[in-house]
Each structure stands twice: as structure tokens, then as C-alpha cells.
Amino acid sequence: MSSINEKLQQDEEWLNSLQEHLKKSTSLTSNVSNMLESFQQRLQRLDDTISPLHEKSTRLQRKQQNVTKLLKTIDATIQLFGRTAELENAIRDTNPSLDLQEYIENMDALYNAIVFFASHPTYDNQRDNMKLTFESGCTCLEKEIHNLVITNSIMVAPTTIVECLDEEFEILSTRIRSLETLKNIKNISKLFDWLRKNYEMTRCSETFAVVRSDNMLKTLNALGEQHRDANSSLNASAANSRKASAVSTRASSTVFLKQAFKKATGRGTEKFADKRDVVNDGSLDFVILLFASVLALIQIETELTAKISEEVTVQAQLQRLIFSRPLQLVVNSAYTTLEQYDQGVSGLLPLMKFLLRHNSQLLSLSQNAVNNIISFEPLMQLASSKTRSAINELCERLSNDNDKFYPKDGNVHQVTANTMHLLNHMAVFRNVVTETSGPADRVFEQILGALEGNIRSKSLLYQDEFLQAIFQLNNTNYVLTGIQEGPVANVLRARLNDLCASYRQKLSDLLNRYLRSWNRVVAVFSMDLNEDDKITASKTIFATFNREFEATITHQKEYCVSDLKLGHIIRDRIKELVVTPYARLYSRCAQSAFSSNLEKHIRYTPESLEMCIDRIFDASA
């Protein structure tokens, strides 16, 4: 009971304490509320006081800024008015060639003045005057860039451009880059960029392109003059001999400028089938040189335009304007020359090779030319057609050759030699042959077939059937030797073994045919050595042998076998037919001593007989 009372008393005390704290809290809350209300009232009074002042100060600051701007504008206007008069006088009275940098700075300043006054309609009259002066200055700068490009352009000499080409008329880039064709590039580039940026009516691109295009044309025209002069002098010096004229005329393109129009072809001393392949005036070699030269000049101008302007589109525009006329000149010249060309396939192959190698570049340049003035595709079609026709005509000329000339000694005919030289030349250009006329190996077999027919028909011109055989042996062996080695063998590789076997069989047949010329000599060894009258028979046999052998030797003394190996083979076969049986006969009869004067009847020992045979086909003997 007492513990409960104590608990109640404690709770009562706690409740009393709580009531006191509540009273204090209520008092504090009331005081804080009163303070906050008072602070808000003071803030409102402060806002009512400060806001008008702030608005007034803002208006004052804005007015002050406007006044400052106005003062600056007035000051700038005064300065520009004075400066503009000076600039206009300087631009009107000064030549930009005297100090280009200062002239451009004056033009920049005048341009800024025009922009400044453009925002103030009040100064329209002054602005119009300034515009007239600015346009006048731009016109002077247009003339100046024209004069700068003309004065500083350097024509590339023909000898120099040729020295920048290798043996296949390809460009030697290191040499090209070392050439200086335009001086003072820095000033020209600066003026070019300024005009493009500041003068909407500028024609600086066209001006630059015309001058540089003319510079290219000067080089190309100089090449043409050199070529004509070389041809004229060579033709004049060879006027007394048509053959000499042919060789010299052909050489005109190979000697001109660098002794080097024989570059790329390796044809300087070769002869080709038919006169039209021998008599080559070098006109197509000159066309190759023209194309190579214009490509070299294009490379020079491409690198130059990159220095004139950094903008790719501007570079492309300049290149298009510069390249069109020179390339048109070269393509038109090539087309005219090619239309008139009728001197065989030898000159066409190098041209076709060059055009095919650079077809993509030349086609792209022609398609991008100004007004599409370049007809490169028709040129390619004409060159291809001409090459194909020339190869077909070669076969037709061989098959229908009515020329009655033949070497009296049965040696290799010039047509055979020329044709094999031509095949070797064509083998170097096998890709061109394939491109224009189909697979090169088939074309070569067609030509060889026509040549074989030509050799056969030429052999019929001989009255002597054995000289016919010698003629065919010489020519067939020459063809066989030609196809077994060198570039022709590479072209005919697929069927080379079969072709060589066929030619060897023909040689064997022809050799057997020739050996029949010794039948009368060989027949002596089959004569009967009568035992009843051995002395008389021996004398008859040796007399007959001497007569037939010497008659055969005399008859064949003009025969010629030009190939040493073939001559050795033929002589060995003659020795097998004649010397071996003669040695047996000599041994039998010499031992019998059928006559007291053997030297009268036996003119030859086996050794001397062999020596006589060794001198067959020897022109010096």
C-alpha cells in the first residue's frame, strides 16, 4: 500500500514538472512569433525604400553605357572618315606591284570601313564612293595577279621534260619535283586567296588557269617544233637513198632530244616485216612522248595548285581549267596522226601499251575537261582497231606476198628475218596483242602459219629443187631458233614443245630432200667392181666418182647455210653418205695398186674428201 502511494506521488510530481515546461514553451513560441512578424515588417519597409533607388541607378548605368558607346562610335566615325580618304587616295594612286602587302592592307582597311558604314544609312553616299574605290582596287589586283603569274611562270624546256622520263616514258617523280615552273608562289597564293575571299566578281581562277595552261602549251609546241626540225634534217641528209631515208626517218624519233626516242621500245635497230614496218617515221613515238610530257606537266601543275590554294575544291577547279586545252591538243594530235598512220604494227604496239597503262587517268581527265572537249575514248577505239587491223594485214601480206625477190644462195629471206624480229617485238607487248586481237599465242601461231606458207611459196621461185630445200632449211631453222628462245618462247609456252617438234620434223624431211642431190655421187659406191677386169672397173669407178663429186660441189658452191649448227649437221650427214663408203672403196683399191699412177685416178683421200665437204656452204672458200 505504501509503495503505491509513493508511485502516485512520483507521477504527480512528473506531471507538475511537465505543465511548467509547457507554459515556458508556449511563452517562447509567442516571443519568437512576435520577433518574426517584426522582422518581416522591417524587410518590407527596406524593400519599399531600396527598390526605387535600384531602378534609378540601373537607368543611370544604361544611359552612361549608351553615352560611352556613342562617344566611341563618334570617335570611330571621325577616324574612319579621315582614314577612308587616305585609303581611297592610296588605292587610287598606288600600284600594287610596288608594295603588294601594303596595298592589300589598305584594301582590307577600306573593306572594313565599307562594312562599318553599311549599318548607317546616313552614309550611303560615302559608302558608294568607297565601294567604287574598292572595286577599282580589286580590278588592279586582278591585273596584278595576271602579271605576276605571267612574269613568274617558267616554261619547261623540251630537253628538260624528256630528262624527266624513264626508258618507258614513265615519269621520274624525283626529277619532276625538282623543277621550278613558277617563282614568287607565296605572293601569288596570298593575292589569289585574298581575291577569292573579298571580291565576289573575281576571275583569278580563270586568269591563273589560262596563263598556266598557255605555259604547258608552250612546252608541247616546242616539242613539236623539235620533232619537225629533227625529221627535216634527217630526211634531207638521207635524200639520196630511199632505204637510208627509211632508217633515218625511223631514227628521227629515236635520236631527237636525248638520243632517246628509242626509249621504251628497244626497236631502234630492228627491222620489221614488210616495208611499212621498216619505214616508220616515228610519228607514233612522238605521240607517246606528247602524252608522257603532258602527264608530267599535269603532275607539276597538280602540285603547284596545292601550293596556290589549300581548298581541295579550288584545287580541283584550277586543275580542270588548266589541263583541258593541253590535253585536248595532245589527244587531237594523236587522233590525226593515228588516222594517217599506215606503217605496220611495230609503231602501234608501244602507243597502245602506253595508252592502256594510263587509260584510267587519261579517261578521267578527259571526262572532267571543260565543256567535254576531249575525245579520248574514240582515240582508244581507233588505236585498238588500227592495231588489230595491222596484225591481220601482216598475216594477209605474208599469205598473199607476190614479191619475186629471193636470195640467190638460198639464205634466210628478209621477210623471214623481219617477221621473226617483229614477233620478238610483239612478244614484249603480248598484253597489248591480247587486248586488241585475242590470245597472243594464237595470234603468233597464225602469223607463223602465214610465214610458213610464205617460205614455201618463195621456195618455188627457185629452178633448182635442191636449192629450194636449202632455202626452206635455212628459213625453217631460222624460225625454229627464233621460237625456242627469248620472248617469243614465253608467249608460245603452252604449245612450244609441239611446235618445235613439228619444225624439227620439217627440217628432217627437208634435209633428206636436199641429200638427194648427192644421189649420183652415192650411186658410184654401188657400181660393180668386176673381178675379171678389176683395174678397168676401178679406174671407171674413181673417174665417175671424181666427175660426180666435183660436179655436185661445183653446182652447190653458191649454196649458203647461214646457221653454223645447221651447216655442221648437214655436212655430217653428207660425210655419212659419201666419206664413209668412199673410205672403204679407197682402202680396197689403193691396196690393189690398180695403176702405176694412182694420183691420176684417185684425186681424193678420205681426209681430203672430208676437207672438201667441210668447205661446202663456206662463202670464204
Side-chain angles (χ1 to χ4, degrees):
M1 191 69 182
S2 58
S3 60
I4 294 171
N5 290 330
E6 290 177 0
K7 181 70 174 171
L8 288 173
Q9 188 176 357
Q10 291 175 354
D11 291 341
E12 185 177 359
E13 290 175 358
W14 183 81
L15 288 172
N16 291 332
S17 176
L18 179 63
Q19 286 178 350
E20 290 177 2
H21 283 93
L22 285 173
K23 289 179 181 179
K24 290 180 179 181
S25 175
T26 301
S27 176
L28 289 171
T29 301
S30 175
N31 290 335
V32 168
S33 297
N34 291 334
M35 290 175 64
L36 289 173
E37 289 177 1
S38 175
F39 182 72
Q40 185 175 4
Q41 291 173 0
R42 278 182 285 179
L43 282 176
Q44 183 64 43
R45 287 196 298 273
L46 182 62
D47 182 62
D48 294 340
T49 304
I50 295 300
S51 291
L53 291 174
H54 174 70
E55 290 179 358
K56 289 180 181 179
S57 64
T58 300
R59 287 194 297 270
L60 288 173
Q61 287 179 350
R62 189 178 298 114
K63 289 179 180 179
Q64 184 179 2
Q65 290 173 356
N66 290 338
V67 170
T68 302
K69 288 181 180 180
L70 178 61
L71 290 174
K72 288 182 178 180
T73 301
I74 293 171
D75 185 53
T77 303
I78 294 172
Q79 290 181 3
L80 282 172
F81 261 104
R83 176 64 174 156
T84 298
E86 294 176 5
L87 290 173
E88 289 180 324
N89 291 332
I91 291 171
R92 279 194 298 265
D93 300 337
T94 304
N95 190 331
S97 61
L98 299 177
D99 190 340
L100 180 61
Q101 181 62 35
E102 181 181 356
Y103 197 92
I104 290 178
E105 289 175 357
N106 290 337
M107 290 291 289
D108 284 332
L110 183 60
Y111 180 79
N112 292 332
I114 292 172
V115 172
F116 174 80
F117 287 115
S119 59
H120 300 279
T122 307
Y123 307 109
D124 284 349
N125 291 333
Q126 291 86 342
R127 187 174 68 253
D128 291 341
N129 292 333
M130 284 184 276
K131 283 183 177 181
L132 290 174
T133 304
F134 183 79
E135 290 177 1
S136 174
C138 288
T139 302
C140 290
L141 290 177
E142 289 274 343
K143 294 178 180 178
E144 178 62 16
I145 195 171
H146 179 265
N147 293 335
L148 275 176
V149 180
I150 287 182
T151 304
N152 291 283
S153 289
I154 304 171
M155 188 194 88
V156 182
T159 49
T160 303
I161 203 71
V162 172
E163 287 296 334
C164 293
L165 305 175
D166 65 12
E167 294 303 316
E168 293 191 349
F169 289 107
E170 295 303 316
I171 298 169
L172 298 171
S173 298
T174 53
R175 293 186 183 181
I176 282 291
R177 294 192 185 98
S178 67
L179 298 181
E180 183 182 29
T181 63
L182 184 65
K183 297 183 293 185
N184 204 7
I185 295 177
K186 184 177 180 181
N187 280 347
I188 294 173
S189 174
K190 182 187 296 184
L191 182 53
F192 183 89
D193 284 339
W194 190 92
L195 285 169
R196 282 190 55 81
K197 291 176 182 177
N198 298 284
Y199 186 36
E200 294 180 355
M201 304 298 291
T202 183
R203 293 185 58 81
C204 59
S205 295
E206 291 80 358
T207 299
F208 180 86
V210 167
V211 176
R212 295 305 300 174
S213 183
D214 288 342
N215 200 53
M216 291 177 68
L217 288 170
K218 288 178 183 178
T219 299
L220 297 174
N221 290 327
L223 276 171
E225 291 175 6
Q226 290 272 16
H227 178 62
R228 286 190 293 272
D229 292 345
N231 274 342
S232 298
S233 61
L234 286 168
N235 289 337
S237 65
N240 295 328
S241 170
R242 182 173 181 179
K243 181 177 180 181
S245 178
V247 176
S248 298
T249 306
R250 165 75 186 124
S252 65
S253 64
T254 62
V255 172
F256 162 59
L257 289 174
K258 208 183 170 187
Q259 305 171 357
F261 267 38
K262 60 185 174 185
K263 288 168 148 191
T265 63
R267 295 175 290 127
T269 59
E270 290 182 0
K271 300 174 183 177
F272 303 97
D274 195 79
K275 290 188 294 184
R276 280 170 289 185
D277 285 305
V278 178
V279 183
N280 188 336
D281 62 3
S283 57
L284 295 191
D285 287 337
F286 178 65
V287 169
I288 298 175
L289 179 64
L290 275 180
F291 270 111
S293 299
V294 79
L295 290 177
L297 294 171
I298 283 173
Q299 181 171 323
I300 292 172
E301 296 301 322
T302 299
E303 295 174 0
L304 183 60
T305 54
K307 297 176 183 177
I308 296 298
S309 176
E310 295 180 353
E311 296 182 35
V312 177
T313 53
V314 175
Q315 294 175 22
Q317 180 191 14
L318 287 175
Q319 291 165 17
R320 181 169 178 263
L321 293 170
I322 294 171
F323 302 158
S324 295
R325 287 193 297 143
L327 191 57
Q328 181 191 21
L329 171 70
V330 172
V331 171
N332 289 348
S333 175
Y335 195 93
T336 301
T337 303
L338 200 55
E339 274 190 320
Q340 299 171 354
Y341 184 80
D342 62 350
Q343 297 175 24
V345 71
S346 62
L348 290 162
L349 293 175
L351 175 62
M352 273 302 298
K353 178 182 178 181
F354 187 90
L355 292 179
L356 287 171
R357 184 189 299 152
H358 296 279
N359 179 62
S360 298
Q361 182 184 6
L362 291 169
L363 183 61
S364 176
L365 288 169
S366 64
Q367 289 174 343
N368 292 325
V370 177
N371 299 325
N372 296 318
I373 58 176
I374 302 173
S375 303
F376 179 70
E377 287 182 276
L379 174 65
M380 283 296 295
Q381 293 169 2
L382 178 62
S384 180
S385 173
K386 281 270 188 178
T387 305
R388 182 168 53 254
S389 298
I391 292 174
N392 292 335
E393 288 174 7
L394 171 63
C395 293
E396 291 177 7
R397 292 199 303 270
L398 290 172
S399 299
N400 303 310
D401 185 5
N402 296 320
D403 186 5
K404 301 301 180 182
F405 168 78
Y406 59 92
K408 304 300 183 183
D409 56 2
N411 204 343
V412 176
H413 199 287
Q414 189 64 42
V415 170
T416 304
N418 290 344
T419 303
M420 293 310 298
H421 279 301
L422 179 58
L423 285 178
N424 275 289
H425 175 64
M426 291 174 63
V428 177
F429 302 93
R430 60 181 303 176
N431 292 335
V432 176
V433 175
T434 300
E435 185 76 23
T436 58
S437 304
D441 55 346
R442 294 183 184 177
V443 173
F444 276 43
E445 288 184 39
Q446 183 182 1
I447 295 173
L448 287 171
L451 176 60
E452 183 181 349
N454 185 278
I455 293 170
R456 190 164 49 249
S457 64
K458 288 275 193 266
S459 70
L460 298 178
L461 298 173
Y462 293 94
Q463 302 298 319
D464 183 350
E465 63 171 319
F466 304 118
L467 190 52
Q468 289 182 10
I470 288 294
F471 174 78
Q472 291 194 60
L473 274 169
N474 276 318
N475 285 270
T476 303
N477 182 70
Y478 189 89
V479 173
L480 175 61
T481 303
I483 68 172
Q484 286 184 116
E485 55 192 30
V488 175
N490 294 330
V491 175
L492 298 171
R493 184 177 303 163
R495 293 198 62 243
L496 185 59
N497 291 336
D498 292 340
L499 283 171
C500 289
S502 173
Y503 277 106
R504 290 191 186 99
Q505 182 59 49
K506 292 171 187 173
L507 285 174
S508 177
D509 295 340
L510 291 167
L511 178 54
N512 290 332
R513 179 179 165 190
Y514 161 74
L515 290 174
R516 292 203 298 270
S517 66
W518 293 89
N519 284 351
R520 293 173 65 87
V521 178
V522 174
V524 173
F525 304 125
S526 61
M527 293 177 64
D528 184 21
L529 193 60
N530 192 337
E531 295 294 336
D532 296 336
D533 192 0
K534 191 173 182 179
I535 293 175
T536 303
S538 296
K539 291 179 180 179
T540 302
I541 288 174
F542 276 100
T544 305
F545 175 82
N546 294 337
R547 183 179 66 253
E548 294 298 338
F549 179 76
E550 291 170 359
T552 302
I553 290 293
T554 301
H555 183 72
Q556 297 187 13
K557 67 179 180 180
E558 300 296 334
Y559 287 14
C560 175
V561 175
S562 55
D563 185 80
L564 297 178
K565 183 178 179 181
L566 177 62
H568 184 72
I569 292 172
I570 296 174
R571 285 189 287 268
D572 283 348
R573 290 291 302 275
I574 295 173
K575 290 175 185 178
E576 291 176 9
L577 290 175
V578 178
V579 177
T580 301
Y582 182 82
R584 291 195 296 268
L585 176 65
Y586 178 84
S587 177
R588 288 172 57 190
C589 295
Q591 291 176 1
S592 65
F594 62 87
S595 173
S596 59
N597 188 9
L598 288 177
E599 292 78 4
K600 177 181 178 181
H601 302 285
I602 303 178
R603 298 180 187 175
Y604 304 98
T605 64
E607 291 76 17
S608 64
L609 188 67
E610 188 169 344
M611 291 176 62
C612 288
I613 294 173
D614 283 335
R615 288 197 293 269
I616 297 176
F617 313 131
D618 185 353
S620 62

